[in-house]
Amino acid sequence: MKKIWILLLTVFLLQGCTSAGQRTPSTPAEPEKPPASVPSQPPATTPEQPPTSSQPENPSTSPEQKPATETPGTYSNDIFKDVTVKKTGTDTFEVKGKAQVFEGTVSYVVEDGHNELTQGFIQTSAGAPAWGDFTHTIKVKKAEPNTTLSLILFETSMKDGSRRMELIIPLPEK
């Protein structure tokens, strides 16, 4: 008889151990709370409307370079705005605009599609996160008469020296 009691006790203990993961620890049972009252009418919801945008989307425009809507001849992207280029002499161009760049330093390259003809940097009036104004005169001569010059403004990455947020501007012929 003693062996039966030990066997039954062992079975009950083992059964309790195997189902312990499924049960909560034994605590005094709390009386069940009634469910929270549910309002008789669901809250009114407004139909979801698509977000409105002041600018029409243009799938051919890259996210880095957006056409300026203020004035023709101005260029902008996320870190440059209101950039204009004016030809002031035979081989000279004046670049003006605003930039939001690290330590207020804008890097630039002028290329003809094949070669980099000149490069340098422009110091703005303020560093990021502020928008700094800049004006700079670039002197560059075409290597080949039948080419189009492009000014590329960018921020140099302090992490790896790569170009960030390039803004490509065709230099005017006249």
Side-chain angles (χ1 to χ4, degrees), residues 4-167:
I4 295 176
W5 280 107
I6 292 175
L7 182 63
L8 285 175
L9 184 59
T10 306
V11 169
F12 285 118
L13 284 175
L14 289 176
Q15 185 178 14
C17 290
T18 58
S19 63
Q22 298 169 355
R23 292 186 185 183
T24 57
S26 60
T27 55
E30 293 182 19
E32 268 191 47
K33 295 180 183 176
S37 64
V38 178
S40 59
Q41 288 184 337
T45 59
T46 58
E48 201 170 303
Q49 297 175 346
T52 58
S53 173
S54 61
Q55 288 184 325
E57 287 189 32
N58 185 355
S60 65
T61 304
S62 71
E64 288 184 4
Q65 189 168 345
K66 301 171 194 159
T69 56
E70 310 87 30
T71 314
T74 61
Y75 299 88
S76 301
N77 68 9
D78 291 343
I79 63 170
F80 296 105
K81 67 180 178 180
D82 303 330
V83 179
T84 60
V85 179
K86 182 170 64 171
K87 188 167 186 170
T88 57
T90 306
D91 297 325
T92 57
F93 302 90
E94 183 181 59
V95 183
K96 288 183 180 181
K98 296 180 181 195
Q100 186 180 37
V101 291
F102 180 71
E103 291 187 355
T105 303
V106 174
S107 299
Y108 71 88
V109 171
V110 177
E111 62 179 36
D112 64 3
H114 301 287
N115 304 308
E116 289 184 0
L117 304 175
T118 187
Q119 62 183 9
F121 66 92
I122 304 166
Q123 194 64 45
T124 67
S125 62
W131 286 93
D133 296 322
F134 65 89
T135 301
H136 187 71
T137 301
I138 298 173
K139 186 165 180 75
V140 62
K141 187 171 179 132
K142 287 184 177 184
E144 298 293 324
N146 221 13
T147 58
T148 302
L149 300 180
S150 296
L151 170 66
I152 304 171
L153 299 176
F154 58 94
E155 179 182 42
T156 303
S157 169
M158 294 298 115
K159 182 178 179 183
D160 59 6
S162 64
R163 295 179 181 182
R164 290 190 64 247
M165 300 302 297
E166 289 183 339
L167 180 65

